[in-house]
Amino acid sequence: MKNNIPRIFLSKGSRASGFVVEKVNIIKEIPCVAYRLKHIKSGARLLHLHANDKENLFCAAFRTPPQDNTGLPHILEHTVLCGSKKYPVKDPFVELLRTSLATFLNAMTYPDRTVYPCSSMNKKDFFNLTGVYCDAVFYPLITELHFRQEGHHLEFTEPGDINSKLTIRGVVYNEMKGALSDLDGIIENNIHKIFPDNAYGYNSGGDPDSIPSLTYEQFKNFHTRYYHPSNAFIFIYGNIPTKEHLAFLDKKYLSKFKAIKIDSSIAGQPKWRQPREETIHYPVGSNEDTKAKTAVSLTFLANPITNILDSLAMGILGHYLLNNAASPLRKALIDSKLGHELSDSGYVTDQRDTFFTVGLKGTEPEHTKTIEKLIFDTCCDIARKGIDKDKIEASFHCLELAAKMVGNSYPLHLLSRVTQVWLYNDKDPLAQLNIAGCLDLVRNAYKKKKGFFESYLKRFIINNTHRCLQTFIPDPSLTREKENLFEAKMAELKAKMSPAQLTAVARETAKLVKMQNTPNSAKALSTLPKLALSDISKQPVPLPVEESTIHGRPVLRAMLHGNGINYLNISVDLRGLPDELMDFLSIYSACSTKMGAGPYDYASLIEREAASTGGVSCSAWTKGSFTNPYRVKPFLTMSSLALDSKLPKMLDILLLRLIDTGFTDINRLKDVIRQDYIHAQSSLVPGATSYALSRAHRHLSQNSAIAERIGGISQVRLLNRLSGSLDHTVDEIIAKMGRIRTHILTRERFYFNFLGSDTQFAVAQKWIEHLLSALPSNPPPEHNIALAPFAAQVPEAIALPADVAFSACAVPAVSPEDPHAPSLLVLAHMLTFGPMWNEIREKGGAYGCSARFSGINSSFALSTYRDPNINRTIKLFGRILSNPAACLKLSRPVIQQAVIGVIRSFDQPIRPASATSIATDRYLSDTTPARLAKLRESVLSVTPASLSAASSIIAEHAAQHSPLCVISSREKLEQANAAPDSCRIDIQDL
């Protein structure tokens, strides 16, 4: 991204294409020219950040306050994208995913707004996407059948058989069952109870118990009420001139509407005079130990987001209190040993009425009041003694760094910062973009007013009576009770229905299935704008990298503008590491960033880190190479970032963490392991598809087996065992940490990648020289790590407290250089947005599904996400893998559109924040620009014949070896095994 601001072409008060320019601002931080406009006829508001960035983003945002827990805004978000007046196809959203170069394409429902963003680096594609999205939001079909598919409908467990059980299906219904299956999702849903009297007290996503009460009439009326340009906030970013956007929107859409008054405001929540308390039970596995599984959360109503000074001050205060292990409130809670890890805590700003929440996981119910008292005692102590100046400056620094960072999905980041304020304060949509100026405002107030932050602490926490204390208690019987209650409810409902009503349910389900089975007509598909292969750039997205050496070790430099931030990525070759240490690499990574080092204890070092870096990360990983996917070469990678002025201090901290981490602080080591276990446990249900994929893949290659041990179910089980026996195993763990460090600290194992200015690169080079000269020379062995041969595997299931299922099946494939690799990329894309989408999402009601080919891992995999079906999905996997090509229409036009969709995955923008990691990954896996270009060229040349040949390869491999893993509740897994058509899966507890 070029670091220059475009010329100003419109002035305040000028008119263009039905718009009037209300304000023009230059924003140097981004950098861009911000044009704020209003469409005179329709009343639509528009903000364009005109920047020299090739990635252009369009978003239509609407205020959509929920009126109950039926998830109406969320279901409407899904259904709006199921066909429109101009584009009457069943699912234009899926067609665009199949055939566009979109860098982002989705929609999101927030507590009080719904946003429809799309972006692309191809101008023609951008306007194609924008047109489809505008037609979708302003002229959707929103048919009753689509409402039932995406929202909820009754059907029989045996399709068409009115004698079978009655159940509920729906994409959003199943999505929310999954979202509210894990502890974090349950906590997030319940802390909004501090808003019992306004829209923020409702779950805009929907509560599965309430979703079935939503009617189609309510659904349609909500669209009529809120989806009008007068309630629209249009955000655009990128290098396309503003006048082109205005002409496009006015001519094709906005000029057809007249401005109207729409009340989409949300009433204020009356303040409580007394705090409240409640206890909530949440599900855990039926055989799961409930010890140390309780969570406690204390939530406070804070300020309206429209008060920028209050919001930034509270953001800094929240950072000060909780951001890292040295933060006073976090440290007090962890050091108390009342729990193992914080729940999702902090100052929350994704709605008008902000709130502050803090809590502990891994505790016991009897500790609730003690935890509450500790929170207040700590805050009172801070208010009495005063804010630590160094710590508060570190908080200012972290916000400044975050504001300057240009990371992945950068336009979406800007969209979020704009809509946080714009929808509630139409006077200043740019309030959250000029972060430097706003931080100066807060800093000046802090310096001038004694006790500035202490006053916020007292006002919004210590003396705040509008708060709710919640205790979340694990209940192993809850999942089965909910299942039994649902079954009884369905049985009761069915018993009350007449034969005619039962027949009507079967008939309506048949209509839905017929709609889902009926392909889009050629006439309907022809309405959608499409790209041709000639519209595709022949060149991949560039990532210029310069390579040099220091002491014979590669030093790469990613040549992108870092906006005043420097990034350093250090990778260490782990070959030769004894097998018994492999499982402890994740623990070593955590200790390397969460413990003390050198003369500093963990709190002191983390304070220094917060004041001068954007944090230090460390992780272990392994994968094959472009030419040999079965090459085993694991790595440990440590990275950090810093502003220009802070780079030397960042390098000092990295050196300490690399060579002198202190593993002998036993109490801290125990805390780190317990926190890692709680974190891993919290990730199980939200990340269940990834865990299932990793579990299935571990039977395909040594790399995949190592990856699963490092970051899969095996690692969660290890952390579980260790956290329960630390008093007996801590000495062994310390010894293993020392052995791993001794193993990696040899010169020939190191690789470096830097992004920053010439001046800062010179500083980094001197540091690398110093590090390498101090390390001993001991080249790693060339041999691969020896592991036991892979055993034959029966279908496996992991029982977790999830109301839906997550399934994955993996098959051995080919390397990226194999002639079949390009066709397998296209085949996976066509399966995902063809038969899998139709069968698993539309018909099956799952939230997500995917087919993916990885040449680096030499694998082909199918997976589902938040899927209500188990046996049906497993059988579908088998049918697809037995002959993938048989499920597809292999005509040249269809294949060419799929090829464009595959190229989209190649042509994602590379931002400074991710450039060093991408460059390192490519270098260490031998993924050269020439090889990427050749693969891209081969994808563009895929034919029906090559797809058929690739399909045969997968079918042949799947017949020999196709390990499968399902993650769901034990109750659902047992039901699946008990079914007459069961696929018989081996059920294991975590």
Side-chain angles (χ1 to χ4, degrees):
M1 186 173 68
K2 296 179 181 178
N3 185 30
N4 61 306
I5 298 172
R7 290 174 54 198
I8 295 176
F9 289 99
L10 292 169
S11 59
K12 182 179 179 180
S14 62
R15 300 195 174 200
S17 299
F19 286 85
V20 60
V21 180
E22 295 183 331
K23 206 164 186 179
V24 180
N25 296 85
I26 292 176
I27 306 176
K28 293 181 180 179
E29 288 182 61
I30 292 180
C32 71
V33 178
Y35 296 100
R36 183 184 169 202
L37 308 101
K38 190 163 187 176
H39 191 255
I40 300 166
K41 185 178 179 183
S42 71
R45 307 160 183 85
L46 187 146
L47 177 68
H48 182 208
L49 303 185
H50 189 203
N52 282 313
D53 190 340
K54 192 176 180 181
E55 185 178 19
N56 287 271
L57 178 138
F58 166 86
C59 177
F62 301 89
R63 285 193 293 231
T64 53
Q67 300 159 357
D68 49 38
N69 285 317
T70 61
L72 200 165
H74 188 191
I75 296 170
L76 186 58
E77 171 225 308
H78 278 239
T79 316
V80 152
L81 298 175
C82 290
S84 64
K85 180 179 179 181
K86 188 175 180 180
Y87 307 111
V89 298
K90 286 196 300 181
D91 204 333
F93 173 70
V94 177
E95 294 299 327
L96 292 174
L97 286 172
R98 284 175 178 150
T99 63
S100 81
L101 291 173
T103 54
F104 186 85
L105 190 71
N106 213 332
M108 291 89 80
T109 302
Y110 290 85
D112 56 10
R113 63 189 183 275
T114 309
V115 299
Y116 295 87
C118 56
S119 60
S120 179
M121 295 197 294
N122 180 292
K123 184 175 179 179
K124 179 180 177 182
D125 189 47
F126 170 81
F127 280 113
N128 287 350
L129 298 172
T130 299
V132 173
Y133 261 44
C134 283
D135 210 66
V137 297
F138 294 127
Y139 301 108
L141 298 180
I142 51 175
T143 68
E144 187 166 3
L145 285 177
H146 278 123
F147 164 70
R148 297 190 183 284
Q149 172 184 283
E150 300 297 318
H152 68 88
H153 64 275
L154 292 172
E155 66 176 51
F156 296 102
T157 54
E158 297 298 326
D161 182 1
I162 64 173
N163 295 313
S164 62
K165 292 181 179 180
L166 197 64
T167 191
I168 299 173
R169 290 280 189 264
V171 173
V172 170
Y173 177 77
N174 288 313
E175 176 189 353
M176 297 312 297
K177 285 181 73 175
L180 298 180
S181 288
D182 69 280
L183 176 57
D184 286 338
I186 292 167
I187 293 174
E188 181 183 356
N189 182 50
N190 280 279
I191 60 178
H192 280 83
K193 289 181 179 179
I194 62 164
F195 304 104
D197 304 308
N198 71 6
Y200 294 128
Y202 298 122
N203 187 333
S204 62
D207 185 320
D209 291 335
S210 300
I211 288 172
S213 66
L214 178 64
T215 68
Y216 180 53
E217 184 178 4
Q218 291 171 322
F219 171 78
K220 288 192 301 180
N221 290 341
F222 193 90
H223 181 272
T224 301
R225 181 175 181 181
Y226 293 119
Y227 279 63
H228 186 282
S230 293
N231 191 42
F233 298 77
I234 298 172
F235 174 85
I236 301 173
Y237 168 86
N239 67 356
I240 297 174
T242 306
K243 288 184 177 180
E244 293 188 40
H245 294 295
L246 304 183
F248 178 87
L249 292 170
D250 173 68
K251 181 179 179 180
K252 292 184 177 292
Y253 294 100
L254 299 181
S255 62
K256 298 175 174 62
F257 292 87
K258 289 184 179 181
I260 60 174
K261 286 187 177 182
I262 299 174
D263 183 8
S264 54
S265 62
I266 293 177
Q269 167 62 49
K271 292 291 186 70
W272 298 343
R273 294 183 178 181
Q274 297 292 330
R276 301 182 184 182
E277 298 181 19
E278 66 174 338
T279 298
I280 299 117
H281 292 265
Y282 77 93
V284 293
S286 55
N287 297 328
E288 191 173 336
D289 184 2
T290 61
K291 183 180 180 181
K293 296 287 175 63
T294 292
V296 174
S297 181
L298 183 60
T299 305
F300 304 80
L301 174 63
N303 60 286
I305 190 69
T306 49
N307 189 316
I308 300 302
L309 180 64
D310 283 355
S311 298
L312 276 175
M314 279 299 294
I316 293 167
L317 181 61
H319 190 283
Y320 174 92
L321 293 172
L322 296 169
N323 186 64
N324 58 60
S327 299
L329 185 52
R330 175 184 287 269
K331 189 174 187 299
L333 287 166
I334 297 300
D335 288 354
S336 72
K337 308 301 180 186
L338 293 168
H340 296 329
E341 176 63 298
L342 261 65
S343 60
D344 284 343
S345 300
Y347 177 60
V348 180
T349 61
D350 63 354
Q351 58 187 46
R352 185 201 63 200
D353 297 342
T354 66
F355 58 91
F356 179 83
T357 184
V358 58
L360 263 182
K361 294 190 290 189
T363 186
E364 300 294 347
E366 60 267 24
H367 295 327
T368 295
K369 298 302 290 184
T370 307
I371 291 169
E372 180 189 36
K373 184 176 184 300
L374 177 59
I375 292 170
F376 278 104
D377 286 350
T378 304
C379 291
C380 288
D381 190 54
I382 294 169
R384 183 177 64 255
K385 293 179 179 178
I387 294 286
D388 183 292
K389 292 182 179 180
D390 290 337
K391 283 188 173 72
I392 207 72
E393 283 300 326
S395 296
F396 275 107
H397 163 260
C398 288
L399 265 67
E400 179 187 0
L401 189 66
K404 293 178 71 69
M405 190 183 303
V406 181
N408 293 337
S409 302
Y410 182 62
L412 279 175
H413 171 68
L414 296 176
L415 167 66
S416 177
R417 283 163 60 181
V418 166
T419 54
Q420 267 188 340
V421 177
W422 189 18
L423 273 67
Y424 322 113
N425 179 13
D426 196 26
K427 295 179 181 178
D428 189 10
L430 308 178
Q432 291 278 36
L433 294 183
N434 181 21
I435 295 295
C438 292
L439 287 176
D440 286 343
L441 182 70
V442 178
R443 183 178 270 110
N444 289 336
Y446 157 60
K447 289 181 177 179
K448 289 179 181 179
K449 181 180 177 182
K450 185 178 180 181
F452 176 78
F453 285 109
E454 292 86 347
S455 68
Y456 279 93
L457 189 60
K458 293 174 184 176
R459 177 183 168 194
F460 290 115
I461 297 178
I462 296 171
N463 299 325
N464 189 352
T465 57
H466 194 117
R467 64 179 187 266
C468 186
L469 178 66
Q470 296 172 318
T471 306
F472 299 87
I473 299 177
D475 186 344
S477 65
L478 191 58
T479 298
R480 190 173 296 277
E481 287 175 3
K482 287 174 66 177
E483 285 286 329
N484 291 340
L485 185 63
F486 178 79
E487 295 254 344
K489 183 179 179 181
M490 289 293 101
E492 182 182 0
L493 176 62
K494 184 180 178 185
K496 292 179 179 179
M497 297 173 73
S498 66
Q501 289 173 319
L502 294 174
T503 303
V505 169
R507 186 169 58 248
E508 290 301 315
T509 302
K511 285 182 183 178
L512 181 57
V513 171
K514 181 180 179 181
M515 183 269 288
Q516 293 164 339
N517 283 335
T518 304
N520 288 305
S521 67
K523 182 180 179 181
L525 287 174
S526 68
T527 64
L528 283 171
K530 292 183 176 65
L531 295 175
L533 291 183
S534 58
D535 295 316
I536 309 301
S537 171
K538 297 294 185 280
Q539 301 301 318
V541 176
L543 175 54
V545 177
E546 292 183 353
E547 183 179 346
S548 59
T549 58
I550 298 177
H551 283 297
R553 302 312 303 150
V555 178
L556 310 178
R557 184 181 176 196
M559 303 301 291
L560 296 179
H561 173 69
N563 201 29
I565 300 179
N566 305 274
Y567 303 83
L568 180 62
N569 184 297
I570 305 164
S571 293
V572 187
D573 187 343
L574 293 172
R575 280 178 299 173
L577 184 73
D579 184 63
E580 70 269 17
L581 299 179
M582 194 66 66
D583 297 330
F584 288 81
L585 283 172
S586 288
I587 296 174
Y588 183 88
S589 299
C591 290
S592 295
T593 59
K594 296 178 182 178
M595 297 193 70
Y600 304 103
D601 64 16
Y602 79 93
S604 299
L605 187 55
I606 286 173
E607 281 186 51
R608 293 171 63 87
E609 190 176 288
S612 54
T613 78
V616 177
S617 63
C618 186
S619 62
W621 56 280
T622 184
K623 65 169 63 175
S625 73
F626 199 94
T627 55
N628 178 13
Y630 296 102
R631 182 199 74 178
V632 181
K633 196 173 182 180
F635 286 91
L636 188 82
T637 295
M638 183 175 285
S639 58
S640 189
L641 63 150
L643 297 167
D644 288 345
S645 61
K646 305 284 188 177
L647 180 61
K649 291 183 179 179
M650 181 198 88
L651 295 173
D652 290 343
I653 290 168
L654 276 179
L655 186 64
L656 284 171
R657 292 214 175 276
L658 270 171
I659 68 174
D660 206 10
T661 294
F663 301 117
T664 56
D665 182 345
I666 292 176
N667 288 332
R668 179 59 183 166
L669 179 62
K670 290 179 179 179
D671 284 344
V672 169
I673 292 174
R674 287 178 180 132
Q675 288 168 21
D676 266 27
Y677 171 57
I678 295 294
H679 177 75
Q681 190 180 46
S682 297
S683 72
L684 284 170
V685 175
T689 295
S690 295
Y691 281 109
L693 280 163
S694 178
R695 197 77 182 159
H697 272 88
R698 83 190 198 280
H699 295 279
L700 300 189
S701 70
Q702 291 184 347
N703 270 318
S704 295
I706 292 172
E708 201 280 332
R709 289 170 62 183
I710 291 172
I713 292 292
S714 294
Q715 183 64 204
V716 182
R717 286 172 170 168
L718 173 66
L719 289 169
N720 185 15
R721 291 196 303 272
L722 292 176
S723 64
S725 60
L726 284 172
D727 290 339
H728 306 292
T729 58
V730 67
D731 290 337
E732 176 191 351
I733 295 170
I734 291 171
K736 287 181 176 178
M737 298 298 100
R739 289 174 63 195
I740 293 173
R741 178 166 60 194
T742 299
H743 181 83
I744 68 175
L745 290 181
T746 57
R747 184 182 307 154
E748 288 79 7
R749 294 184 180 276
F750 278 74
Y751 300 79
F752 303 89
N753 200 318
F754 182 82
L755 187 151
S757 67
D758 292 345
T759 301
Q760 305 308 319
F761 184 48
V763 173
Q765 285 176 307
K766 289 181 181 179
W767 181 85
I768 294 170
E769 164 76 30
H770 171 71
L771 169 65
L772 292 177
S773 63
L775 294 177
S777 175
N778 185 17
E782 289 298 325
H783 64 79
N784 288 341
I785 295 173
L787 295 176
F790 308 117
Q793 195 234 4
V794 297
E796 175 186 36
I798 306 295
L800 293 175
D803 279 348
V804 284
F806 308 80
S807 303
C809 183
V811 176
V814 300
S815 77
E817 288 199 321
D818 188 280
H820 295 295
S823 295
L824 288 177
L825 285 168
V826 178
L827 182 68
H829 182 83
M830 295 178 73
L831 289 173
T832 297
F833 298 110
M836 291 189 69
W837 185 276
N838 182 251
E839 292 292 331
I840 293 172
R841 176 165 169 127
E842 290 183 346
K843 294 183 186 178
Y847 183 60
C849 56
S850 176
R852 63 190 79 183
F853 163 66
S854 171
I856 291 290
N857 290 315
S858 187
S859 70
F860 194 91
L862 308 180
S863 63
T864 67
Y865 179 66
R866 293 177 179 171
D867 182 2
N869 305 297
I870 295 177
N871 286 329
R872 182 180 183 277
T873 292
I874 294 174
K875 290 178 179 179
L876 180 65
F877 282 178
R879 290 200 302 273
I880 289 175
L881 293 173
S882 67
N883 189 355
C887 308
L888 303 169
K889 183 179 180 181
L890 299 183
S891 66
R892 284 190 177 273
V894 172
I895 291 172
Q896 286 181 357
Q897 291 301 305
V899 163
I900 293 171
V902 172
I903 294 295
R904 179 181 75 245
S905 65
F906 292 0
D907 284 1
Q908 296 296 302
I910 299 175
R911 302 291 183 180
S914 59
T916 55
S917 59
I918 292 172
T920 296
D921 181 73
R922 289 179 178 179
Y923 182 86
L924 296 179
S925 63
D926 301 322
T927 307
T928 64
R931 286 173 175 147
L932 282 175
K934 183 179 178 182
L935 180 60
R936 180 191 185 90
E937 183 180 347
S938 299
V939 167
L940 291 168
S941 303
V942 166
T943 65
S946 69
L947 271 175
S948 293
S951 173
S952 297
I953 292 291
I954 294 303
E956 180 182 342
H957 290 183
Q960 299 171 3
H961 194 47
S962 54
L964 178 136
C965 179
V966 180
I967 294 178
S968 189
S969 68
R970 173 166 283 276
E971 291 74 16
K972 286 193 174 297
L973 294 168
E974 289 175 348
Q975 287 174 13
N977 269 350
D981 60 346
S982 171
C983 299
R984 299 302 304 170
I985 43 184
D986 176 34
I987 305 173
Q988 308 170 23
D989 290 314
L990 181 63

